[in-house]
Amino acid sequence: MRRVGTGEWRGWREATEEALYGPCGFYRGPEGPAGHFRTSVHASPLFAAAVARLLCRVDEALGRPAELAFVDMAAGRGELVAAVLAALPAEVASRARGYAVERADRPAGLDHRVEWLTRPPEGITGLLFANEWLDNVPVEVAEVDVTGVPRLVLVRDDDGAERLGDPVAGAEAEWLRRWWPLAPEEAPFPGTSSEEAPFEGAPFEGARAEIGLPRDTAWASAVASLDRGLAVAVDYAHFAAARPPYGTLTGFREGRETVPVPDGSCDITAHVALDACALPGGRVVTQRAALRALGVSGARPALTLATTDPAAYVRALAGAGEAAELTATGGLGDFGWLLQPVGIANPMIDGPLADAPPADGLLVDVPDHEEQ
């Protein structure tokens, strides 16, 4: 999969785009994402079953339309969309239409009901689900120099070496000022009080940020493909009150975290500022709260089942273990779910999560703001 590096210096956004999606890019490989890292989709079939239940709730909120769409963004090899279609009740399945949106080629043997596309279909009614998509939308990286000026970080594609480039300007500078300010006088240094800030009254040299503007734009475009329904983005996230001081850019290869080198040999990812992506009416909850509201529980089965039906007890115990992984604190359960209704009431927030406790349910009540 490794391509020959040119040694050229360029921004992280351009370098990542080619490294992930170019002719020899990481996501063009035959093994797909499952060959390198474990997502909720690969962790347990309980995840797809929960998404199928969410699709049924969207169907009900829509008044059971004649055609119900399920759009799987960044579909990998189509594992989620195929599993969701298979998990639907017969009456809903008869009206459902699956779409897989992915740049790689369609895999052999995929369910014939799934349409394979490179961009989301327009004018659909249903559920658009983006599981770990936005973290792979390439972004520029900014770093504060010794004089306190945020500059674009340039990277060399053959070895991942970095140097600073031009000052951040234009729309990217505006995005930083609004969503990820790097100067303590604009906002307290993440994780510290203003008195503890490393350089009082000046930007912190070496502080970094991923400029999420392309993700905001990509999400707005995906949501715009819905005529009516719900769009959901699921990703590791951070929020304005606690941005990571050195950013989150990293790489993954064969299940292990590694130094991000944009040569096509590894995944390159960064956590998502979901509060910046959210459009008016969007809400963010934890995956833990969302999955529990959709019937995924890590509770152990009753011990009495072990004596009355040992095989069922073993199956229930295995399911409880998988549910615990999907909802674990410090793991997959900490993912953010950005819920964006279009033309309907939010079938999660206005229903099963209406009374969720803040500590375990609502992460951020996203204020209305202008679309990016």
Side-chain angles (χ1 to χ4, degrees), residues 221-242:
S221 177
V223 173
S225 69
L226 280 171
D227 268 357
R228 293 175 67 230
L230 180 70
V232 181
V234 181
D235 251 306
Y236 275 123
H238 48 67
F239 303 94

Side-chain angles (χ1 to χ4, degrees), residues 203-303:
F204 169 51
E205 180 188 354
R208 288 168 68 116
E210 292 102 31
I211 305 174
L213 184 60
R215 294 169 173 179
D216 299 356
T217 303
W219 179 243
S221 177
V223 173
S225 69
L226 280 171
D227 268 357
R228 293 175 67 230
L230 180 70
V232 181
V234 181
D235 251 306
Y236 275 123
H238 48 67
F239 303 94
R243 303 287 188 212
Y246 298 103
T248 62
L249 186 73
T250 191
F252 284 93
R253 182 189 300 115
E254 297 177 354
R256 295 180 180 272
E257 190 168 8
T258 185
V259 175
V261 178
D263 62 358
S265 68
C266 67
D267 184 31
I268 298 173
T269 179
H271 295 187
V272 183
L274 281 181
D275 49 349
C277 293
L279 301 170
R283 303 284 290 278
V284 182
V285 301
T286 62
Q287 173 157 300
R288 180 167 48 258
L291 290 184
R292 286 176 179 171
L294 291 168
V296 177
S297 170
R300 294 172 61 91
L303 284 175

Side-chain angles (χ1 to χ4, degrees), residues 9-167:
W9 293 97
R10 49 187 172 171
W12 267 107
R13 184 182 182 189
E14 180 184 347
T16 300
E17 178 71 27
E18 184 171 348
L20 295 183
Y21 306 114
C24 297
F26 177 80
Y27 280 105
R28 301 289 187 178
E31 69 278 10
H36 293 273
F37 48 86
R38 183 177 174 85
T39 71
S40 298
V41 177
H42 309 123
S44 170
L46 294 175
F47 187 80
V51 176
R53 287 192 288 273
L54 176 57
L55 179 58
C56 289
R57 290 182 179 175
V58 172
D59 180 48
E60 185 175 346
L62 289 166
R64 298 180 176 84
E67 181 172 296
L68 178 69
F70 178 71
V71 181
D72 182 9
M73 297 293 298
R77 296 302 177 263
E79 300 97 330
L80 179 61
V81 61
V84 167
L85 292 178
L88 292 173
E91 192 281 325
V92 179
S94 67
R95 294 181 287 107
R97 184 169 181 181
Y99 299 90
V101 181
E102 180 58 74
R103 299 198 197 188
D105 294 336
R106 182 189 181 98
L110 182 65
D111 190 322
H112 70 278
R113 294 175 296 171
V114 177
E115 188 171 347
W116 196 262
L117 304 170
T118 57
R119 58 184 302 157
E122 297 291 335
I124 60 162
T125 298
L127 174 62
L128 181 144
F129 201 86
N131 187 62
E132 296 194 55
W133 168 50
L134 290 174
D135 68 310
N136 286 130
V137 173
V139 294
E140 297 289 6
V141 177
E143 181 176 321
V144 176
D145 70 11
V146 67
T147 68
V149 175
R151 293 181 175 273
L152 294 175
V153 177
L154 305 182
V155 61
R156 200 162 53 194
D157 58 14
D158 56 352
D159 61 3
E162 294 181 336
R163 74 180 189 191
L164 298 186
D166 293 334

